[in-house]
Amino acid sequence: MCESRVTVLDWLCVLRLEQYFEAFQSAGLVTLRQCRDLRPDQLEQMGITLPGHQRRILASLNKTHGKSDTYSQLGQLERDQRLEETGNAHVLQSKRPVPIPGEEKPQGSVYLPSSGKLSIPTKEDSSPLTAVIKMGWLDKNPPQGALYYQRRWVKLDVDYLRYFDNDKDVYSKGIISTAFITNVTSVGELKFEVVTNNRTFIFRAESEVERNDWVTVLQDCTRGRRPRSTISPSSPLTPEYQGNLELRGLRSKLYTVVASDKVYLYKNIEDYRIGVGITSIEMNVGNVKETDRRCFDLTTPYRIFSFIAESEQLREQWVDAMRDAIGEALSNREVAERIWVEPSNSLCADCGAVKPEWAAINLCVVVCKRCAGEHRGLGPSISKVRSLKMDRKVWTEELIQVFLLLGNERVNSFWAANVPPSEALTPSSCSEERRRFITNKYRQGKYRKYHPLYGNQRELNNALCINVQCSDVLETLSLIFCGADVNCSTGMASWPSPLSLANAHSQPLQAELISHNLNTEVVGDMDPVHYSAPTCVSHNGFLFKTASMARAITERKAREEFSRRWCTLNDGTFSYYESDKNSNPNGALKASEIVCLAVEPPEKHGYDHTFELYIESERLYLFGTDDPDSHKEWVKSIAKSFIPATAEPLLRLGFERIGRLKCKDGLNLQTSKVGWFALVGSTLHAYLADSQGEEIHLRKLNELSIQQDNEVLVLVERGRTLYIEGERKLDFADWCTAIQAAAGSGGDTLSQQQLTETDIPVIVHSCIGYITQCGLTSEGIYRKSGVNSRVAALCERFRRDARSLRLREGEHQVDDVSNTLKRFFRELEEGLFTSEDSSTWLGAAAIQDESMKISQYQLLFNKLPHVNKATLQALINHLYCVQRFSELNQMNLHNLAIVFGPTLFQTDGKDYTAGRAIEDLIQHYTSIFEVDEQQLKRQLEEITAINQMREKLNTNTEPGGHFICTVYLEEKKDTAEQHVKIPGSMTAAELVCEVLDRRNIMVKEKEYWSCWEISDKEEMERPLHYQERVLPILHSFGTDSHLLIKKHVAMDAMIVYLASKVDASKHGMMKFREERSILGLGLSSGSFHDRYFILNSNSLRMYKEVRSNRPERDWPVKNLKVYLGVKKKLRPPTCWGLTVVYESKKQEKPERQQWYLCCDTQSEMREWYATFLSIQDGLQQTRVSRVLPDARHGNVSLIPLRGSENEMRNSVAAFSQDPLAVS
């Protein structure tokens, strides 16, 4: 039968590439004969870009070329093909195979017909994913031989029989190597056995036909092979690296094997030897990143595998092995093998290392991986580094011929003609030596062979124009890198440039060399350039533009505020015109001036799609369009025009904001470096000078704050602090706003919360931590209700910014915190157990068999998303600890289940099903979650120690809630100590009475005794309001604060001043300084500045000067706490100062600020202080007189500083004859 009778469809089915049938059909190729002359570039044009698929097609055509019996050839090809690389399993799931006429397909499986024997693919020809021969649902009997079966999605390929939890999983629960299968037989009803030398696996199908089909396919797959009993050195799975690794989350070590382009996971080395594993990871989609000490992450689009090595040295070896596997998976050896045909190209041009896999295509040198890294540091304007294996598209036939013609030896006769032996590199040279040598060699041209015309620009250009017309490529390279201008004029209108001249004279190799050096910098003495300019971008079209602004856009811009403009982007300049007919632009922005590009959310302004441009001169430009495709193209083109090549990966992201910022990190706080940043969702991508790209997960930050007068944004993550500096106010302010918003909770699902490093929501971590520390012994914990308003306020504060909220004893009540945690889970979108699987969880609670129930819970737990898994385990761990102390808190297993069942499953609580599920999870916590018993024991011991410590510390607290504290009388010294029993209701007035009564101190006329809060560290003090509760003040104290009972010597003068006031206000000049620090180092900076202040009943306003119309700051008085004194290390200009603390009471964003005021005289300071206190108490004192008090000195001594008029009168009984008169 002739080739013309063989259809492309039949041929592609044999190759398992039927997904390309439409591509061949579109190209007019119907029969195999028509495909005989296909070339790689034609396959690229048809959309067949995968190198493995191209090789498979071309190899098949080479084998069938010139043969007559094509159908027999196809049979042979099918058998040969299974020895070559196999197809893509993912494609096979989405593209159903062409059915064989008359063959009935069983239900529930995707079946690929096959004939002949299957062989194991060789390492050289194996593709990233192996073709699936058959797949479908089967029931599998667990290896322990339990009576029940587990439903599994099963796939069979040439190498392995794999089974999964479901048909969407990428990584299997288990794999069985087909090389170790000794027998496949039908057993019993609908069941069949897969037997190896050491294990027997039993599967059950849904029908007899399906069972027989599986048995037949498995027998065909294993027939003719010699079964193995253990892995041997000649096994197809030849490991590059193997050993034990701990997988974070499992708390057990797995035997891990890196082989070729895959990583295999086994329970232990015995399983590896018998070919029974857990899963395999395709490294063509993998990325390896070192994290901390012995840890590293293998990241794929489907899962992150966090490994822990046995030592830091082994960690490095594992990372190198896995990165080599990634390179192997992505590599294409065809170009490398061709380049290495020239013997000198098989050694690095710089250090001599063997088999170099990289090249500088403009310099015409082949280099090793380590030298290629230093070439990249030179920038693409000097060295354009490309991979021989991965950058397939750049390697044209002409470029390959250039490298074969020149070779490293000939090229080095120019580049390395004068290398001193003492400066030459070896394969073992360090990075610093390589950097120095490569910089000297290619940037400075220190070792090159100078051309005789060097220094004569005109002659060099003439020589270049003459030489490109012949075949001497080395001479052209010498001319270019000795100063000849590749863009010089030839003086001929038909061929104006050397490139056109080379093409005209049929010199493709000359043209190829010139084309790669059109933008190359001239070699010589020049300063290092960290960020080279990107390639030129051109784009044009209509956009709608508003007037430029000098401040951030806070309001919606209507369509009427936009004007239609013709915009062009060319030669690094973005210009906008009145129309496309105008030749003179209305304005232009150079790409080098653009510092930030922000993509606005859809429909934020009058036009659906808008973007903002920020430039160096603090101007903001807003552009819009209704066409999403046009918007996307403009954003891409503008970003590409100003983002340097070193940060080019940022352009591939779907960013919301991209631009340039200055920053410092914790290792170098002396100098700032330029960084390029892109914000994508809650991740900040950064490319800093002289470093690789990195990702900062904003919702996992330990701290995010703005310091130094809004000039520094501080991002604190584990092991590192990054300081982003405000070089320009306009774009920096918007960066801060965007980053803070991205770092907050993004929604009501678990994954959208602010997370800890272990992927637990911060709100859950904070509440559990607080209750463990302060409330584990609280009777009825989680059952008693908190105050609804306080619970709602806590929930709102956590929702706004959970990271900034610190739960403190005394400030927050245990029951409020416990109810906050319960409310969070009840209101959680999709729930903790996910809306999809919550009913399955409840169904598992009804299983009677204990072991089956635990297995089902484990199965469901492993199906949960990563954050849900981490959160559930943390919560159940906490509840397990709570019930272990039920003799103290009365919350046993049953009580906790009653409370948390309806909460976590978000049910109405009418039945106990949800409670039974929670009770099971707590009761079987160690089994379901595979908990380390020793670790749990240590945790319980720590909690016991905490409870004992609290009990010991609270021996000063009597059963009635009375707290014993130390109070000092008049001065802090041992002889002035008073240990006072302080109940929760005691006020400052009652404490003063208690202390004075103990010391039998009689209060004389015009003596004003008060209780003072003293801070030794801040060197400040304030008298407590007579009704202020003492206990909360004690709980908020640090170790550097104490309470002091003493006279208020300035009270009389303050009363006189207030009596003379007509209204409760004051204004005047004071010296002002704000508390700030340099990058968190604790070094105070700044100085006191004169400012004009106005204080009235509502606010304190600060103006730059008396004539200013707009205040610089405006604070509500009710949120201010004023202290007397300023710490000396701030070097206040006078000794009469006030320390003011501002505490915002907004639930959504609480904050605390502190600053200092200095007055010129003591009387002025007293007047300001008296006015502060009188306004905060709502009093306008106009006249105060005083007579001799009665014997009850406790009431006499306290002049109320806050409170209503009645409270004032009732608290000072001594003013009996002439009480305070209030106008």
Side-chain angles (χ1 to χ4, degrees):
M1 189 168 295
C2 64
E3 287 183 26
S4 61
R5 297 285 300 277
V6 180
T7 67
V8 167
L9 182 57
D10 291 339
W11 172 56
L12 289 176
C13 285
V14 172
L15 296 179
R16 299 194 186 94
L17 296 176
E18 58 270 22
Q19 66 267 28
Y20 294 128
F21 174 63
E22 293 180 2
F24 278 83
Q25 196 174 35
S26 300
L29 303 175
V30 180
T31 66
L32 183 59
R33 179 181 292 277
Q34 294 172 324
C35 303
R36 297 177 65 176
D37 298 322
L38 279 177
R39 300 189 308 275
D41 58 332
Q42 292 174 318
L43 292 176
E44 289 271 355
Q45 293 173 3
M46 292 167 62
I48 306 174
T49 57
L50 291 176
H53 293 182
Q54 289 183 3
R55 291 202 304 272
R56 197 184 311 173
I57 290 170
L58 295 174
S60 171
L61 291 173
N62 289 336
K63 290 179 182 178
T64 57
H65 183 65
K67 306 296 174 99
S68 58
D69 190 2
T70 308
Y71 274 135
S72 64
Q73 289 284 335
L74 287 176
Q76 180 62 39
L77 278 174
E78 184 176 2
R79 289 189 293 274
D80 291 344
Q81 186 57 41
R82 290 173 182 142
L83 293 173
E84 297 178 355
E85 58 191 12
T86 51
N88 190 311
H90 179 70
V91 174
L92 293 173
Q93 293 183 46
S94 58
K95 300 279 188 179
R96 294 189 62 83
V98 179
I100 296 178
E103 181 172 351
E104 181 180 352
K105 297 286 182 247
Q107 299 296 319
S109 296
V110 179
Y111 177 61
L112 302 181
S114 62
S115 62
K117 298 177 182 179
L118 299 175
S119 300
I120 298 175
T122 63
K123 174 182 173 182
E124 290 78 342
D125 294 331
S126 64
S127 64
L129 293 173
T130 307
V132 177
I133 300 171
K134 182 174 175 62
M135 67 180 87
W137 288 105
L138 291 173
D139 295 330
K140 177 185 174 294
N141 196 24
Q144 292 82 4
L147 297 178
Y148 67 94
Y149 283 76
Q150 298 170 330
R151 191 162 176 78
R152 294 285 185 258
W153 178 255
V154 183
K155 293 181 181 180
L156 173 66
D157 57 52
V158 177
D159 300 310
Y160 292 98
L161 179 67
R162 310 170 191 264
Y163 50 92
F164 304 78
D165 275 338
N166 57 62
D167 57 350
K168 295 182 176 59
D169 281 359
V170 175
Y171 300 111
S172 59
K173 293 280 291 184
I175 56 176
I176 308 166
S177 174
T178 56
F180 290 82
I181 296 176
T182 59
N183 192 22
V184 181
T185 57
S186 300
V187 290
E189 185 178 0
L190 305 180
K191 293 184 287 188
F192 63 95
E193 287 182 343
V194 177
V195 182
T196 69
N197 284 333
N198 304 78
R199 297 272 292 275
T200 299
F201 299 84
I202 301 177
F203 295 88
R204 184 174 63 192
E206 294 180 351
S207 67
E208 197 74 18
V209 174
E210 182 77 351
R211 189 267 306 273
N212 294 339
D213 203 19
W214 274 103
V215 171
T216 302
V217 173
L218 281 164
Q219 287 175 344
D220 288 344
C221 185
T222 57
R223 186 179 295 124
R225 293 186 179 182
R226 180 180 178 182
R228 294 184 176 87
S229 58
T230 60
I231 290 286
S232 64
S234 60
S235 167
L237 183 61
T238 305
E240 271 77 35
Y241 200 79
Q242 57 186 319
N244 288 313
L245 280 177
E246 182 179 343
L247 183 61
R248 188 170 293 171
L250 289 182
R251 299 182 180 178
S252 61
K253 292 184 178 180
L254 300 178
Y255 195 77
T256 307
V257 176
V258 181
S260 183
D261 56 351
K262 297 180 181 64
V263 172
Y264 296 84
L265 301 181
Y266 298 84
K267 286 185 179 179
N268 47 55
I269 191 171
E270 289 74 24
D271 280 4
Y272 162 63
R273 287 171 176 164
I274 64 174
V276 177
I278 299 172
T279 192
S280 63
I281 306 166
E282 304 287 347
M283 298 300 280
N284 63 324
V285 294
N287 181 42
V288 181
K289 181 179 180 182
E290 299 175 1
T291 53
D292 183 33
R293 295 185 63 191
R294 299 182 292 119
C295 307
F296 65 97
D297 288 346
L298 171 56
T299 304
T300 73
Y302 318 105
R303 179 179 172 181
I304 297 176
F305 297 85
S306 297
F307 292 108
I308 304 175
E310 294 178 345
S311 67
E312 291 188 42
Q313 183 180 4
L314 286 176
R315 191 272 304 269
E316 299 298 330
Q317 296 175 10
W318 277 109
V319 169
D320 290 342
M322 290 192 182
R323 285 177 175 165
D324 290 342
I326 293 173
E328 183 68 24
L330 299 175
S331 67
N332 178 354
R333 298 179 63 89
E334 181 184 347
V335 171
E337 295 290 354
R338 292 190 62 189
I339 295 291
W340 293 338
V341 167
E342 162 57 40
S344 64
N345 286 342
S346 62
L347 298 175
C348 174
D350 293 330
C351 72
V354 297
K355 296 296 183 183
E357 298 179 355
W358 297 82
I361 58 175
N362 62 321
L363 306 177
C364 300
V365 291
V366 184
V367 295
C368 66
K369 182 178 179 180
R370 294 185 67 187
C371 290
E374 303 306 330
H375 274 261
R376 286 196 197 92
L378 300 177
S381 61
I382 292 183
S383 181
K384 298 177 181 178
V385 183
R386 297 293 184 270
S387 171
L388 300 184
K389 291 187 173 182
M390 290 180 282
D391 295 321
R392 174 68 185 271
K393 291 185 178 180
V394 76
W395 290 102
T396 62
E397 184 61 31
E398 290 77 13
L399 184 58
I400 293 174
Q401 292 301 324
V402 168
F403 274 78
L404 292 176
L405 175 65
L406 295 178
N408 280 349
E409 185 176 0
R410 291 191 68 202
V411 172
N412 268 342
S413 68
F414 166 73
W415 284 115
N418 304 295
V419 178
S422 60
E423 297 184 23
L425 292 181
T426 65
S428 61
S429 296
C430 67
S431 297
E432 184 60 36
E433 291 172 341
R434 291 176 193 269
R435 185 178 301 114
R436 186 186 309 112
F437 176 83
I438 290 170
T439 300
N440 288 337
K441 183 177 178 180
Y442 300 106
R443 177 183 285 282
Q444 308 297 342
K446 180 178 178 181
Y447 313 126
R448 65 187 162 178
K449 179 181 179 181
Y450 284 89
H451 197 277
L453 300 176
Y454 179 78
N456 190 330
Q457 188 67 55
R458 182 175 179 180
E459 293 301 322
L460 283 170
N461 292 347
N462 290 337
L464 178 63
C465 293
I466 295 170
N467 196 73
V468 296
Q469 302 175 46
C470 66
S471 59
D472 192 349
V473 179
L474 183 61
E475 176 69 8
T476 299
L477 182 137
S478 175
L479 287 165
I480 292 173
F481 289 102
C482 282
D485 183 3
V486 294
N487 298 302
C488 67
S489 174
T490 62
M492 293 177 279
S494 301
W495 310 302
S497 66
L499 179 59
S500 61
L501 200 59
N503 286 323
H505 287 79
S506 301
Q507 295 295 333
L509 303 191
Q510 296 277 20
E512 187 74 14
L513 176 60
I514 293 172
S515 65
H516 288 296
N517 284 286
L518 293 176
N519 298 309
T520 301
E521 290 184 13
V522 178
V523 173
D525 296 329
M526 56 189 75
D527 296 329
V529 178
H530 296 294
Y531 292 95
S532 58
T535 56
C536 291
V537 183
S538 297
H539 192 61
N540 58 60
F542 280 104
L543 286 173
F544 296 86
K545 174 187 175 295
T546 64
S548 66
M549 290 154 275
R551 57 187 179 86
I553 302 173
T554 56
E555 69 283 346
R556 174 183 170 86
K557 294 290 183 181
R559 293 178 75 95
E560 295 76 20
E561 299 181 67
F562 288 80
S563 302
R564 190 168 184 255
R565 294 288 182 264
W566 175 256
C567 301
T568 64
L569 178 62
N570 196 19
D571 294 330
T573 302
F574 177 74
S575 308
Y576 48 92
Y577 301 78
E578 192 72 28
S579 71
D580 55 346
K581 303 291 191 293
N582 292 64
S583 58
N584 294 323
N586 290 10
L589 305 174
K590 290 185 178 180
S592 58
E593 296 176 340
I594 301 174
V595 295
C596 180
L597 166 62
V599 181
E600 298 286 7
E603 301 181 4
K604 179 178 180 179
H605 298 291
Y607 285 90
D608 292 345
H609 305 280
T610 54
F611 61 88
E612 298 174 350
L613 292 178
Y614 299 77
I615 63 172
E616 287 273 12
S617 58
E618 300 273 10
R619 302 295 296 180
L620 169 61
Y621 294 80
L622 176 64
F623 295 88
T625 178
D626 281 333
D627 182 3
D629 294 332
S630 173
H631 175 266
K632 183 178 180 180
E633 192 61 34
W634 272 111
V635 168
K636 177 182 176 182
S637 299
I638 293 174
K640 193 173 182 180
S641 72
F642 77 94
I643 296 297
T646 47
E648 189 175 353
L650 296 178
L651 300 173
R652 296 193 286 268
L653 305 172
F655 54 82
E656 299 146 29
R657 180 176 292 268
I658 189 170
R660 185 183 81 218
L661 292 165
K662 279 191 174 182
C663 58
K664 299 178 183 178
D665 58 31
L667 299 177
N668 182 9
L669 295 176
Q670 306 304 317
T671 57
S672 300
K673 51 186 175 183
V674 175
W676 295 90
F677 294 82
L679 182 62
V680 183
S682 60
T683 303
L684 185 64
H685 299 259
Y687 274 78
L688 309 182
D690 302 324
S691 67
Q692 298 295 319
E694 55 186 285
E695 297 179 3
I696 301 171
H697 298 282
L698 298 175
R699 288 187 186 144
K700 290 189 178 183
L701 290 177
N702 296 336
E703 180 186 336
L704 176 64
S705 60
I706 302 177
Q707 298 183 6
Q708 291 197 26
D709 290 336
N710 299 325
E711 291 179 359
V712 177
L713 180 66
V714 183
L715 291 77
V716 182
E717 53 183 346
R718 184 180 181 182
R720 182 192 180 187
T721 301
L722 182 67
Y723 305 98
I724 300 178
E725 298 179 324
E727 189 177 4
R728 298 158 302 276
K729 288 187 178 180
L730 183 58
D731 67 294
F732 179 72
D734 286 354
W735 268 109
C736 290
T737 302
I739 289 174
Q740 287 177 318
S745 298
D748 293 326
T749 63
L750 272 179
S751 60
Q752 293 173 314
Q753 306 300 311
Q754 291 175 321
L755 304 174
T756 65
E757 294 167 357
T758 53
D759 288 331
I760 300 171
V762 174
I763 179 175
V764 176
H765 183 267
S766 297
C767 292
I768 288 177
Y770 177 84
I771 291 170
T772 302
Q773 289 285 337
C774 307
L776 214 59
T777 60
S778 175
E779 185 173 335
I781 181 68
Y782 288 117
R783 196 163 189 174
K784 293 195 298 184
S785 298
V787 178
N788 190 55
S789 60
R790 295 202 296 254
V791 172
L794 272 176
C795 288
E796 184 62 24
R797 288 186 64 183
F798 273 120
R799 187 175 292 109
R800 295 291 181 184
D801 187 6
R803 189 186 303 105
S804 65
L805 179 57
R806 297 288 184 269
L807 298 174
R808 295 184 177 89
E809 189 176 6
E811 183 178 343
H812 302 98
Q813 305 304 312
V814 169
D815 293 327
D816 294 340
V817 175
S818 65
N819 277 265
T820 298
L821 183 63
K822 290 192 297 180
R823 183 175 295 189
F824 168 76
F825 282 113
R826 178 169 284 279
E827 296 176 354
L828 191 65
E829 188 177 324
E830 297 184 2
L832 178 60
F833 297 97
T834 72
S835 54
E836 180 182 352
D837 291 332
S838 60
S839 58
T840 313
W841 281 87
L842 294 175
I847 299 175
Q848 297 301 319
D849 185 89
E850 203 72 22
S851 61
M852 290 180 63
K853 180 188 291 187
I854 292 174
S855 297
Q856 181 65 9
Y857 280 134
Q858 288 177 327
L859 179 65
L860 292 171
F861 174 69
N862 289 326
K863 286 179 61 179
L864 287 174
H866 182 66
V867 177
N868 296 58
K869 287 175 66 175
T871 306
L872 177 60
Q873 183 161 0
L875 178 63
I876 300 302
N877 170 266
H878 172 63
L879 297 181
Y880 179 86
C881 295
V882 171
Q883 59 91 29
R884 286 294 296 265
F885 294 90
S886 58
E887 73 279 0
L888 300 174
N889 56 42
Q890 306 304 313
M891 292 301 289
N892 57 25
L893 184 64
H894 185 72
N895 290 341
L896 284 174
I898 290 175
V899 173
F900 275 93
T903 297
L904 297 182
F905 284 98
Q906 300 176 343
T907 62
D908 54 14
K910 290 183 179 179
D911 60 64
Y912 189 60
T913 307
R916 188 179 298 111
I918 299 303
E919 189 169 336
D920 289 341
L921 292 177
I922 301 174
Q923 184 177 0
H924 302 293
Y925 165 66
T926 55
S927 301
I928 294 173
F929 298 95
E930 299 178 352
V931 177
D932 185 336
E933 297 283 354
Q934 292 300 318
Q935 186 174 347
L936 181 61
K937 181 181 178 182
R938 288 194 296 270
Q939 182 184 3
L940 293 172
E941 289 174 350
E942 290 172 1
I943 295 174
T944 302
I946 291 173
N947 292 338
Q948 292 173 350
M949 185 181 299
R950 288 181 60 82
E951 184 178 356
K952 183 177 180 181
L953 291 174
N954 290 338
T955 52
N956 291 336
T957 304
E958 296 187 348
H962 298 174
F963 189 88
I964 297 178
C965 79
T966 301
V967 181
Y968 296 93
L969 182 62
E970 296 196 284
E971 59 181 324
K972 185 180 180 181
K973 59 182 182 179
D974 294 342
T975 57
E977 284 185 2
Q978 291 292 312
H979 300 288
V980 183
K981 185 190 301 180
I982 300 180
S985 59
M986 177 175 275
T987 63
E990 293 168 342
L991 177 59
V992 173
C993 293
E994 176 77 17
V995 173
L996 293 181
D997 281 342
R998 285 188 180 189
R999 288 299 185 97
N1000 296 317
I1001 296 177
M1002 298 297 297
V1003 180
K1004 300 177 182 179
E1005 183 180 3
K1006 293 190 177 182
E1007 283 185 353
Y1008 304 91
W1009 289 86
S1010 298
C1011 178
W1012 294 71
E1013 174 191 350
I1014 311 293
S1015 174
D1016 298 324
K1017 179 181 177 181
E1018 298 293 331
E1019 301 175 34
M1020 62 184 188
E1021 60 184 18
R1022 74 174 182 96
L1024 302 185
H1025 179 251
Y1026 79 106
Q1027 280 193 330
E1028 198 164 352
R1029 304 262 176 159
V1030 178
L1031 200 56
I1033 302 297
L1034 292 173
H1035 284 310
S1036 65
F1037 268 1
T1039 56
D1040 54 6
S1041 298
H1042 62 276
L1043 293 179
L1044 183 70
I1045 307 299
K1046 68 173 183 176
K1047 300 173 186 175
H1048 197 321
V1049 294
M1051 179 60 76
D1052 196 49
M1054 292 166 61
I1055 292 174
V1056 171
Y1057 169 73
L1058 292 175
S1060 64
K1061 293 278 292 178
V1062 177
D1063 58 354
S1065 65
K1066 183 169 176 59
H1067 56 87
M1069 299 294 294
M1070 283 191 288
K1071 300 184 185 299
F1072 168 83
R1073 171 176 172 163
E1074 191 167 11
E1075 176 72 14
R1076 59 180 181 174
S1077 62
I1078 296 179
L1079 304 181
L1081 297 178
L1083 302 175
S1084 297
S1085 63
S1087 57
F1088 285 84
H1089 302 280
D1090 287 327
R1091 290 293 185 268
Y1092 184 74
F1093 289 87
I1094 296 179
L1095 175 63
N1096 57 36
S1097 58
N1098 296 318
S1099 63
L1100 173 65
R1101 296 177 181 173
M1102 181 178 75
Y1103 298 81
K1104 189 170 185 179
E1105 56 186 18
V1106 177
R1107 298 179 182 179
S1108 299
N1109 295 322
R1110 180 176 298 176
E1112 289 184 323
R1113 302 284 181 88
D1114 191 339
W1115 301 279
V1117 175
K1118 64 181 180 180
N1119 293 346
L1120 300 179
K1121 188 180 287 187
V1122 186
Y1123 293 81
L1124 295 166
V1126 176
K1127 51 188 175 183
K1128 294 183 179 62
K1129 76 172 186 177
L1130 298 178
R1131 297 181 181 178
T1134 70
C1135 59
W1136 301 293
L1138 303 173
T1139 298
V1140 185
V1141 177
Y1142 170 75
E1143 293 180 339
S1144 168
K1145 298 181 180 179
K1146 294 180 181 179
Q1147 295 176 359
E1148 66 275 8
K1149 191 177 179 182
E1151 59 177 318
R1152 187 180 189 277
Q1153 301 174 8
Q1154 184 169 314
W1155 66 89
Y1156 309 95
L1157 304 174
C1158 277
C1159 304
D1160 291 333
T1161 64
Q1162 184 180 27
S1163 61
E1164 185 181 354
M1165 180 195 70
R1166 289 173 178 172
E1167 291 171 3
W1168 278 104
Y1169 191 62
T1171 308
F1172 268 117
L1173 298 181
S1174 64
I1175 289 176
Q1176 289 180 326
D1177 295 324
L1179 292 175
Q1180 291 179 324
Q1181 301 186 22
T1182 57
R1183 183 174 58 85
V1184 179
S1185 60
R1186 187 79 164 87
V1187 297
L1188 189 66
D1190 62 14
R1192 297 194 302 173
H1193 58 266
N1195 289 330
V1196 175
S1197 63
L1198 296 171
I1199 298 297
L1201 303 180
R1202 302 178 189 173
S1204 65
E1205 176 184 351
N1206 289 333
E1207 290 168 340
M1208 284 278 291
R1209 297 176 186 277
N1210 294 335
S1211 66
V1212 190
F1215 295 155
S1216 55
Q1217 292 189 358
D1218 191 5
L1220 290 172
V1222 181
S1223 59

